[in-house]
Amino acid sequence: MTQFLASGSGMDGIKHIINVLCEPHWFLILSCVALAVFMVGYRTFTKPPIAAALAGVSTLFFIASCLDPNFFSIVSKGDNVPIVMMMVTLAFVLWIAFRQAAINDERMEKGEPLLEAGADDKVLVWPDLVYIELICLVLLTAFLVVWAIFLRAPLEQPADPNVAPNPAKAPWYFLGLQEMLVYFDPWLAGVVLPGLIVVGLIAVPYLDKNPRGNGYYTFKQRPFAIGTFMFGFGILWIVLIIFGTFLRGPNWNFFGPYEFWDHNKPAALLNVEFHDLFWIQMLGRPLPTEDVAFIPAYIIREIAGIAVLGVYFIAGPIILRAVFFRKLYVQMGFIRFSVMAMLFLVMMLMPIKMALRWTLNLHYIVGITEWFLNV
Amino acid sequence: MASKEIISKVWIEDGCIVCDACETAAPDVFEVLEETCIIRPAALDVEFCKPRSTEIVDAAEECPVDVIKFESTTVEVSDAEAAAVPADAPASDAAPAAPVVAPAKAAPAEAAPPAAASVHASTAGAPDPAIAALLKAATTRGGHAGMLKNADGGMASSGSTRGDARNLPPEARQAKVQAAAKKASADADAGRRAFASSGALMVGWGAFSAGAGLAVGPAFTRFMMPNVMEEPDPRIRIGKLQKYSEMEPGGVNEDYKPQGIWMIRLEDRIAALNIICTHLGCIPNWLVNERKYKCPCHGSGYYQNGVNFEGPTPRPLERFKIYVEDGIVVVDKSKKYNYELGQWDQPSSFLLV
Ligand code: SF4
Ligand code: FES
């Protein structure tokens, strides 16, 4: 702390602390803590005065930050304005949902009728729906026109196949996927995991047959389901988009929000391979290069990583079942539970691998480059 | 005069999700075990069930998957007695717009007394009637709308939503299955004959389409191919050997980056690196000060000789075939050498200087 304060007086010291807190591992840990705190205290945080106060403080903070030239240049980039809007709308939508859940949960405890009771959900297409659509259409068009006039589309020079912009960023909604590519082999992060996201989302209604929460807001009745979703969507998608937009700079290095995007920022990222850790550091031997009987050398080289992954995916569901989900297992049955546990473990692979990369600079757990099999 | 239901038999079908709702509603009738829910032995007795009728109806109502079934008799009772059952009135007050009409719980089984077939249950006494109503809406086929329809159509039609065999008591279900089986075997003969003739037809059409496909398929494939494929000459002449042999070891020449080549000088040789990132195909930049190629897309980094050392990429940059022709260095981009396959030792992948 003293070192932070010594680095600059007042404002600079605060900026420096925030920059440090935005380093990837802190940023992820803090977002998870924030999410957890929010979900534990959702009844308090969603109370209108408290929520309004939180919104006000964050807005003030944002405005104050905009006085910093580095922060402002990133936030006001044509590409990034929608992401600022996304953060605001997301917070609002979350508030609405959790607010209603909080009210309902309270009423349920007291045995009072829910918010949704007595609601007549029958709505006529004409005029109710079409009318609203028409109004939205007009307002949104006006808004887009104004936006287009005041914020120029970020057009760049003609594309040149031999030059990539630095940093080269995907469309904002894919920045989470792009971040994933930093930690896994391209076919895993680019094909398998996104595929699993889609398949997993399709599978949700078949996995989760619990009717609690259908047609009414609640959090108390479904803490695991909602918590998992909030982690997968809120942290692994949204927070990674924010990561990618505001904190990834030239050469795909990390930059704090008040840091200058220096193209020559030194970054020591020397990769460490899991097989090196295992064979050279732990066993003090050279990497095996000889085939043994019919087992190719690369399998022996990666044996530790394969074992770790095997334990993760085989013992994982068993432990989950025995420790956390005894009741859930009975309700879901073997097949549903296994599929759910697998999807859950694959999802958790992401933060695990991120943490390993940030702390140990671990490249791959299993690295069979010969067969493009890297995890 | 009001009416009151008397439960004569209650049972649980497959599909219980062990949600505990029934045990909460009627603890001395239902018992929730690890994997399923059972009727407590004591409750198999009619006399035991009678006084607990309301609770049982409630439990059936609460069950999110509707597996609790019962048979009941409706008896007329005096108003005074009806008032003793605090059921209908308060509940419908609590959730006026979500009328819960139980779709005939017990189907008109032969055994049941005629007039008592359908059951008009209410959310009476449930801890939170609105939830019960919503759960009901969520689990009734056709959702809320279906329920409303049921309510409109009155009791007579209410059986239609749930009229399928699953809701019958076991004996009736058995009989239904037997009847269906008998009918099926009678139909089988006629079916077999029809199948034979339609089978011949199918084989005929199948053969025809297969033949047509065989004839037209290749032609179509060829038609979809471009007639001319433009491909630039993969051999690129990049100047005198001297230009490269005079570079400092560890140097990188970017003159031919637009053609996709980095010329690198190693200790005793020169080689041509492919500039495409082996991670996902972006174009890295050569950072002179840090002496590395750094990719702007996901941060992969490579040493000057092309070997990867940071970021996600799994393998080093590729090298091209290189040779000298009339004193001019030529790089052939159609032939690549991969480090992880041990190909960088092959003589055509470098020039000794
Ligand atoms: S309410 Fe239905 S599903 Fe729930 S425990 Fe009872 S019988 Fe089983
Ligand atoms: S394409 Fe170069 S690091 Fe991903």
Side-chain angles (χ1 to χ4, degrees):
Chain A
M1 194 54 100
T2 46
Q3 167 203 343
F4 292 152
L5 294 179
S7 66
S9 58
M11 236 26 208
D12 286 347
I14 296 175
K15 284 183 188 172
H16 187 75
I17 294 175
I18 295 180
N19 278 343
V20 170
L21 290 184
C22 283
E23 273 170 21
H25 50 287
W26 284 120
F27 195 69
L28 194 74
I29 292 175
L30 289 178
S31 340
C32 291
V33 169
L35 182 67
V37 168
F38 175 72
M39 290 201 301
V40 170
Y42 69 108
R43 295 192 193 186
T44 319
F45 291 120
T46 53
K47 292 217 171 88
I50 299 183
L54 284 178
V57 169
S58 356
T59 314
L60 276 183
F61 177 74
F62 184 83
I63 293 174
S65 295
C66 283
L67 297 177
D68 180 281
N70 292 320
F71 185 89
F72 186 72
S73 72
I74 299 174
V75 172
S76 60
K77 213 169 151 251
D79 274 335
N80 297 349
V81 174
I83 304 182
V84 177
M85 292 197 234
M86 176 196 75
M87 285 157 69
V88 177
T89 38
L90 193 82
F92 178 70
V93 171
L94 272 186
W95 173 73
I96 292 208
F98 274 88
R99 174 74 191 143
Q100 297 182 70
I103 296 179
N104 268 351
D105 290 347
E106 226 156 84
R107 291 192 179 188
M108 249 180 276
E109 274 158 23
K110 295 196 204 131
E112 291 169 2
L114 303 182
L115 282 175
E116 290 84 355
D120 184 6
D121 16 43
K122 201 167 113 183
V123 169
L124 297 175
V125 172
W126 171 263
D128 296 328
L129 176 70
V130 178
Y131 227 79
I132 295 176
E133 281 179 348
L134 181 74
I135 294 173
C136 286
L137 192 136
V138 172
L139 288 183
L140 213 65
T141 311
F143 172 68
L144 283 178
V145 168
V146 174
W147 185 354
I149 291 173
F150 285 100
L151 264 183
R152 289 308 171 90
L155 285 184
E156 291 162 15
Q157 69 274 40
D160 175 350
N162 285 316
V163 181
N166 190 6
K169 291 192 179 179
W172 63 268
Y173 42 85
F174 277 154
L175 280 174
L177 287 182
Q178 188 173 4
E179 191 61 32
M180 197 149 84
L181 280 163
V182 176
Y183 306 97
F184 293 98
D185 183 84
W187 72 260
L188 251 189
V191 181
V192 176
L193 294 182
L196 271 181
I197 295 177
V198 174
V199 171
L201 285 176
I202 294 174
V204 166
Y206 301 97
L207 296 177
D208 179 3
K209 308 239 291 185
N210 186 344
R212 307 254 155 208
N214 279 4
Y216 59 98
Y217 284 95
T218 174
F219 178 65
K220 203 178 146 213
Q221 290 187 340
R222 307 300 306 274
F224 174 67
I226 297 178
T228 312
F229 174 78
M230 287 304 298
F231 182 75
F233 175 69
I235 303 283
L236 293 186
W237 194 262
I238 299 297
V239 166
L240 287 192
I241 287 179
I242 295 172
F243 248 32
T245 315
F246 300 121
L247 304 179
R248 287 289 196 182
N251 297 326
W252 213 247
N253 282 329
F254 261 104
F255 291 84
Y258 307 112
E259 205 174 333
F260 174 66
W261 277 19
D262 179 359
H263 279 245
N264 295 313
K265 177 181 180 175
L269 298 169
L270 196 58
N271 279 332
V272 174
E273 297 287 348
F274 194 68
H275 57 232
D276 290 342
L277 285 182
F278 177 73
W279 288 101
I280 301 177
Q281 303 247 352
M282 268 177 60
L283 301 186
R285 299 159 163 241
L287 288 183
T289 49
E290 302 281 304
D291 297 2
V292 174
F294 55 90
I295 309 173
Y298 51 79
I299 298 280
I300 302 173
R301 186 185 69 211
E302 303 300 338
I303 199 79
I306 295 175
V308 167
L309 276 190
V311 168
Y312 181 72
F313 279 114
I314 294 170
I318 300 176
I319 296 174
L320 281 185
R321 178 196 159 177
V323 183
F324 301 107
F325 299 130
R326 305 202 36 204
K327 190 119 193 216
L328 192 68
Y329 175 79
V330 175
Q331 287 176 5
M332 295 180 80
F334 176 73
I335 296 189
R336 276 207 198 100
F337 182 82
S338 313
V339 175
M340 190 279 285
M342 276 300 154
L343 290 172
F344 185 76
L345 288 175
V346 170
M347 179 174 97
M348 293 316 281
L349 210 55
M350 177 76 189
I352 292 177
K353 188 73 192 292
M354 290 167 101
L356 288 176
R357 180 65 68 76
W358 292 331
T359 50
L360 302 178
N361 258 320
L362 188 81
H363 189 206
Y364 291 133
I365 300 173
V366 174
I368 307 182
T369 310
E370 291 84 343
W371 289 99
F372 290 97
L373 247 177
N374 308 294
V375 181
Chain B
M1 275 306 219
S3 60
K4 186 182 168 187
E5 286 162 15
I6 300 292
I7 303 285
S8 53
K9 184 174 171 191
V10 48
W11 71 94
I12 295 180
E13 298 196 331
D14 292 347
C16 167
I17 55 166
V18 224
C19 69
D20 283 352
C22 51
E23 196 172 337
T24 321
D28 37 10
V29 179
F30 301 97
E31 182 177 8
V32 177
L33 308 175
E34 271 285 320
E35 305 232 320
T36 184
C37 170
I38 58 163
I39 309 285
R40 288 183 197 273
L44 294 176
D45 187 308
V46 186
E47 291 313 311
F48 184 87
C49 284
K50 259 187 202 164
R52 294 174 178 77
S53 294
T54 338
E55 287 163 41
I56 295 178
V57 175
D58 286 344
E61 205 57 55
E62 283 256 323
C63 176
V65 284
D66 285 327
V67 294
I68 301 181
K69 309 287 174 201
F70 53 80
E71 275 167 21
S72 63
T73 335
T74 312
V75 294
E76 305 284 289
V77 291
S78 68
D79 285 341
E81 246 182 285
V85 185
D88 299 70
S92 35
D93 279 347
V100 175
V101 177
K105 277 292 173 195
E110 297 86 333
S118 55
V119 176
H120 184 173
S122 74
T123 55
D128 40 10
I131 297 198
L134 285 159
L135 286 177
K136 183 97 249 161
T139 47
T140 306
R141 212 157 292 170
H144 199 220
M147 284 169 52
L148 288 177
K149 205 171 77 204
N150 266 346
D152 295 345
M155 291 326 309
S157 69
S158 70
S160 62
T161 348
R162 290 290 176 104
D164 53 340
R166 282 184 297 144
N167 289 346
L168 295 175
E171 318 89 71
R173 219 187 314 165
Q174 180 71 13
K176 250 198 166 171
V177 170
Q178 274 169 0
K182 211 181 267 167
K183 186 160 182 297
S185 76
D187 288 349
D189 269 347
R192 227 167 277 140
R193 252 170 283 127
F195 180 75
S197 68
S198 76
L201 212 59
M202 263 168 7
V203 169
W205 273 109
F208 174 73
S209 6
L214 272 184
V216 179
F220 182 75
T221 316
R222 174 66 192 85
F223 174 73
M224 295 308 282
M225 293 288 198
N227 283 338
V228 181
M229 293 253 259
E230 211 176 316
E231 248 180 47
D233 190 345
R235 288 163 305 174
I236 295 172
R237 297 159 69 84
I238 59 169
K240 296 223 171 68
L241 179 58
Q242 201 188 3
K243 173 176 171 189
Y244 303 102
S245 53
E246 276 172 2
M247 284 159 63
E248 290 285 306
V252 175
N253 182 308
E254 296 202 85
D255 290 354
Y256 287 86
K257 195 178 176 192
Q259 279 76 34
I261 304 165
W262 273 312
M263 288 306 297
I264 56 169
R265 171 74 206 261
L266 304 166
E267 212 39 63
D268 61 339
R269 59 188 68 182
I270 60 173
L273 274 190
N274 183 357
I275 63 167
I276 294 177
C277 180
T278 47
H279 181 230
L280 273 181
C282 282
I283 309 296
N285 300 305
W286 167 240
L287 307 181
V288 192
N289 294 333
E290 281 124 278
R291 311 213 57 70
K292 67 182 180 189
Y293 312 93
K294 186 76 176 167
C295 183
C297 289
H298 316 93
S300 291
Y302 307 83
Y303 292 123
Q304 181 260 355
N305 63 4
V307 174
N308 57 316
F309 71 99
E310 64 182 18
T313 190
R315 60 202 184 91
L317 294 174
E318 290 161 346
R319 290 187 184 176
F320 290 130
K321 178 173 175 182
I322 183 170
Y323 56 93
V324 182
E325 204 177 62
D326 309 330
I328 300 285
V329 182
V330 181
V331 173
D332 183 352
K333 291 175 69 179
S334 62
K335 177 89 183 90
K336 290 175 187 153
Y337 299 90
N338 292 359
Y339 173 82
E340 70 279 8
L341 304 178
Q343 292 169 338
W344 282 5
D345 298 334
Q346 292 181 16
S348 46
S349 73
F350 57 84
L351 289 176
L352 286 178
V353 289

